[in-house]
Amino acid sequence: MPKALKKEKGWDHSVDWKFEVTAVNDSEAHAVASAVRCRKDGSKIESVHGFYAFTKTADGWKMYAVADTTF
């Protein structure tokens, strides 16, 4: 819930985004993303790292798993 997170932590923007597709075939894909969450003044709140798993359905690619860690 980004709106609640922004209000609770004073999160204004994120920097240092990194995206990597770590595995992919015709029916499944895995990706990881990381970023640093910052306040409006640019000070760091936390770093976040996420893992995302996708499967291809008749309607297109759908995310079926997500896990994240903040530090």
Side-chain angles (χ1 to χ4, degrees):
M1 301 178 85
K3 269 189 176 180
L5 185 62
K6 285 183 177 224
K7 184 176 181 179
E8 175 188 331
K9 296 189 175 210
W11 175 30
D12 180 70
H13 62 282
S14 297
V15 297
D16 297 333
W17 280 98
K18 294 181 181 89
F19 295 96
E20 182 181 4
V21 176
T22 57
V24 65
N25 63 26
D26 291 340
S27 62
E28 294 184 303
H30 292 172
V32 294
S34 62
V36 176
R37 292 181 179 149
C38 299
R39 296 176 186 87
K40 193 170 192 163
D41 67 3
S43 62
K44 179 181 173 178
I45 298 169
E46 62 194 359
S47 295
V48 62
H49 183 272
F51 167 82
Y52 306 87
F54 298 86
T55 190
K56 193 169 188 179
T57 70
D59 295 324
W61 289 94
K62 303 292 180 183
M63 187 184 332
Y64 70 88
V66 63
D68 70 324
T69 302
T70 55
F71 51 97

